[in-house]
Amino acid sequence: MLKLPEDFIFGGATAAYQAEGATKEGNKGRVAWDTFLEEEGRFSPDPASDFYHQYPVDLELSEKFGVNGIRISIAWSRIFPEGYGTPNPEGIEFYHNLFKECHKRNVEPFITLHHFDTPEVLHKDGDFLNKQNIEHFVNYAEFCFKEFKNEVYYWITFNEIYPVSIGQYLTGTFPPGIRFDFGKVFQSMHNMMVAHAKALIVFKSLNNPGEIGIVHSLETRYPYTDSEEDKKAAHLDDVLANKFLLDATFKGYYSEDTMKCVNQILAANNGAVDIQDSDLELFAKACKDNDFLGINSYQSSFIRAYDGENDIHHNGTGEKGTSVFRLKGIGEKMFDMEIPRTDWDWLIYPEGLYDMMIRIKNDYPNYKKIYITENGMGYKDDFNDGVIDDQPRIDYIKSHMESVARAIEDGVNVKGYFLWSLMDVFSWSNGYNKRYGLFYINFDTQERYPKKSAYWFKELAETREIK
C-alpha cells in the first residue's frame, strides 16, 4: 500500500475567471475573454461557480472534506481594471476577505497572479507580445506582494504559459483567435518567462515571508513507434511544449539542442523569435530562486512523424474521437493506441506524470520541490437526484496519486496535489458540460452537492493511504 507524507497538501484548484462569475461586479475591468465569448455566443462566464459570493460555502466544504490547500487566482482586472493605474479598492477588499476566510477554514491559499485573464485593454495592445505589458504585469505583481504579504505565503506568477500561447496563436481557441503563428507562440512564451523572472526578482528583493514559483503544463511526449522519424517528431513537440519553458525556468538559458529545435520549427512555419541577451541575464539571475515548480498534468501524447500542413480540430464538445492535432515541421498526435481516454480525447496515462517528475529530478536538479497543481478528469456527471457517482474520476485520481507516491519513493520531492477542480467551474472553450469538481454545482441555483469522489478524497486526506 502506498502512503503519502505527513505534511502533504491535499488541495483543490480554481481560477478566478472560471469560478468567480460576477464579471461586472465590484468595478472589475473587462478581460479579452468577455468580448471573445460574447462574439462566439456559445458560453457565458456568468455565473460560473459564483465563487465571488459563494466562497464561504466552498471553503467550509473544503474544511469538511479534508481539503487543506486551495489554488486561487487573483483577477488582475479586479485589482487594476485597465491593467495599470489606480488600484480598485473593491477588488482589494474582496481578496482580503477571501484570504481571511481561507485561514479561518484552515485552507492554505496558493495564489496565482495570471491565469489566462490579461485585462482587455492590455490584451488589445498585444498582450505579452508587447514588452510594455511585461512591466505592467510586474507592477501588478509587486502591488499584490506588498498588499497581501501577511495573508499569502505561496505565490505563483503564471499558470500554463504553453496552453495560453498555443490557444491564442496556434489553435485559435483563445482570444485573439489566431491560428498557426509559431513566431507569436514562441515570442509569447519567452516574454511571459521574462515577466516571471522579473516578478520573482522583485519578490525576493522585498524579503517577504513566503515562497514563489511557476506552474507549467507538462505532459510527456512519447514517440508513436520506435522509428527514428517518430522519435524526432516527439522530441520536437517536447521542445515546443516542455523543454523551452523548463530550460528558461531552471537552466537560465535555452540549451543548444532547444534552440536548434526551435529554429527548425520556426523555419518550417516562416516564423521568428526575438531573444535578447538582457532577457537571458534575467533568466540566469532568477533560475536559482524558484522555490517550487507547479506541474499541471492531464494526459500524455504519442507523436508520429508528419510532413503535411498544420491541421487542428479542437474537441470542445466531448464528442469522443473528433480531435485532430497535426503540426507542420513537428508531428502528429495519435489517438489509436490501446489507452483509455476521456470524452474530450485526453489520454488517461498516469505513467506520463511519473515520467515527467523523474525527468525534472534528473534533468533539472536545481528544482527544489514540486506541487501537482492541477490533475483531474473532465466528465459528464450524472446528477441522479443529488447522488453523483463519479467512479471513473476516482479511478483517474487514484492512478495519478499512485504515480505521485511512486515518484516520492524514487526521490522526487513532491509536497502536494491539487485536484482540478475543487468544485465544478466554467471551462473556457468547453463551457459548462465538462465537469471536474469534487462538488457538483447546479449552475442555475448555485447549490453544491458532494460527489462520490469528494468522500473518497476525504478518506485519502485523513489516512494518506492510497487504497
Side-chain angles (χ1 to χ4, degrees):
M1 180 175 58
L2 294 168
K3 192 161 187 175
L4 295 160
E6 292 283 350
D7 61 349
F8 198 80
I9 295 286
F10 293 90
T14 70
Y17 198 76
Q18 294 179 261
E20 285 180 3
T23 61
K24 299 177 178 65
E25 292 187 45
N27 199 33
K28 183 180 188 291
R30 288 178 66 85
V31 301
W33 278 97
D34 294 329
T35 299
F36 188 70
L37 292 169
E38 287 169 5
E39 290 175 349
E40 280 201 331
R42 290 197 302 149
F43 307 119
S44 169
D46 288 310
S49 314
D50 195 31
F51 190 66
Y52 188 78
H53 301 105
Q54 301 288 337
Y55 70 83
V57 176
D58 292 319
L59 289 165
E60 183 179 5
L61 282 169
S62 297
E63 184 177 41
K64 180 179 178 181
F65 281 86
V67 177
N68 64 352
I70 184 172
R71 275 196 67 204
I72 301 167
S73 70
I74 292 175
W76 184 352
S77 62
R78 284 204 192 278
I79 304 298
F80 294 101
E82 295 190 346
Y84 61 94
T86 303
N88 170 29
E90 291 179 73
I92 295 166
E93 181 182 13
F94 168 71
Y95 289 111
H96 277 305
N97 292 337
L98 172 55
F99 301 152
K100 181 179 179 181
E101 190 71 17
C102 288
H103 294 297
K104 173 184 172 183
R105 292 296 178 182
N106 302 303
V107 181
E108 186 70 38
F110 285 65
I111 302 306
T112 308
L113 290 166
H114 186 276
H115 196 124
F116 300 4
D117 58 350
T118 303
E120 187 169 53
V121 171
L122 303 186
H123 198 281
K124 285 182 175 180
D125 198 21
D127 201 11
F128 282 95
L129 297 176
N130 181 345
K131 289 192 173 183
Q132 183 58 45
N133 289 337
I134 295 175
E135 302 309 315
H136 290 318
F137 173 79
V138 174
N139 292 337
Y140 149 66
E142 182 174 7
F143 176 86
C144 291
F145 296 151
K146 292 177 177 178
E147 180 69 27
F148 303 113
K149 68 178 181 179
N150 296 321
E151 298 150 282
V152 176
Y153 187 85
Y154 297 98
W155 291 97
I156 295 161
T157 53
F158 285 90
N159 177 78
E160 295 192 347
I161 286 175
Y162 169 69
V164 172
S165 297
I166 68 163
Q168 292 184 169
Y169 307 118
L170 186 63
T171 68
T173 52
F174 284 20
I178 294 169
R179 285 165 66 85
F180 309 134
D181 191 327
F182 285 84
K184 285 185 171 65
V185 170
F186 279 111
Q187 195 68 60
S188 171
M189 290 198 292
H190 172 75
N191 287 1
M192 279 190 268
M193 285 306 306
V194 172
H196 162 74
K198 286 191 168 190
L200 186 152
I201 291 166
V202 167
F203 180 81
K204 294 297 181 179
S205 74
L206 295 174
N207 293 314
N208 282 4
E211 299 181 1
I212 189 167
I214 190 168
V215 166
H216 289 315
S217 171
L218 300 175
E219 297 173 352
T220 304
R221 266 61 177 171
Y222 300 97
Y224 181 62
T225 71
D226 288 333
S227 73
E228 291 305 312
E229 293 82 6
D230 287 1
K231 289 178 182 178
K232 181 180 179 181
H235 182 59
L236 287 166
D237 199 46
D238 176 72
V239 168
L240 171 65
N242 299 318
K243 197 166 186 279
F244 186 75
L245 293 169
L246 287 171
D247 278 5
T249 304
F250 291 114
K251 289 185 180 294
Y253 60 90
Y254 300 118
S255 71
E256 182 178 346
D257 173 70
T258 294
M259 287 312 302
K260 179 181 177 182
C261 294
V262 168
N263 289 329
Q264 182 176 332
I265 294 167
L266 289 171
N269 290 278
N270 300 311
V273 62
D274 177 24
I275 298 172
Q276 299 290 320
D277 289 343
S278 57
D279 300 339
L280 299 178
E281 289 169 6
L282 287 167
F283 290 175
K285 184 175 181 181
C287 70
K288 302 179 291 296
D289 287 332
N290 291 284
D291 294 309
F292 60 87
L293 169 67
I295 295 178
N296 290 0
S297 177
Y298 293 93
Q299 61 171 331
S300 297
S301 297
F302 289 76
I303 310 298
R304 183 170 71 179
Y306 173 72
D307 61 4
E309 295 298 313
N310 291 302
D311 183 17
I312 293 175
H313 174 75
H314 171 64
N315 175 2
T317 61
E319 185 181 350
K320 186 181 284 190
T322 61
S323 294
V324 176
F325 201 89
R326 302 177 180 126
L327 299 181
K328 183 179 180 180
I330 301 178
E332 172 185 11
K333 287 188 180 182
M334 300 302 293
F335 300 95
D336 62 349
M337 300 75 62
E338 292 298 319
I339 297 172
R341 51 182 158 153
T342 72
D343 288 335
W344 285 265
D345 294 321
W346 292 19
L347 300 179
I348 302 173
Y349 195 70
E351 191 68 23
L353 175 57
Y354 172 84
D355 287 345
M356 182 57 70
M357 290 184 283
I358 295 297
R359 174 189 181 176
I360 299 299
K361 174 178 175 286
N362 293 337
D363 292 358
Y364 302 94
N366 63 321
Y367 92 99
K368 295 174 183 175
K369 58 183 175 180
I370 289 170
Y371 292 96
I372 306 305
T373 38
E374 286 183 28
N375 176 250
M377 182 180 179
Y379 192 60
K380 298 173 183 176
D381 291 314
D382 182 4
F383 182 67
N384 196 24
D385 294 325
V387 179
I388 302 102
D389 186 348
D390 58 342
Q391 185 62 44
R393 180 175 290 112
I394 295 172
D395 296 340
Y396 179 100
I397 300 168
K398 179 183 176 183
S399 65
H400 286 79
M401 290 293 262
E402 287 171 345
S403 287
V404 171
R406 285 175 49 222
I408 292 171
E409 287 186 347
D410 291 340
V412 184
N413 187 24
V414 188
K415 304 302 289 184
Y417 171 98
F418 292 76
L419 177 70
W420 184 268
S421 50
L422 179 64
M423 63 289 195
D424 292 336
V425 296
F426 169 70
S427 192
W428 305 110
S429 58
N430 302 294
Y432 292 96
N433 187 35
K434 192 179 190 183
R435 294 177 179 267
Y436 281 94
L438 289 175
F439 307 117
Y440 185 99
I441 292 184
N442 179 325
F443 290 108
D444 293 325
T445 66
Q446 290 299 324
E447 291 179 86
R448 272 73 167 146
Y449 301 86
K451 303 176 187 177
K452 184 178 180 180
S453 58
Y455 294 97
W456 180 88
F457 198 81
K458 181 177 187 290
E459 182 179 0
L460 174 66
E462 289 172 349
T463 65
R464 292 173 290 106
E465 296 175 352
I466 305 172
K467 300 175 182 178

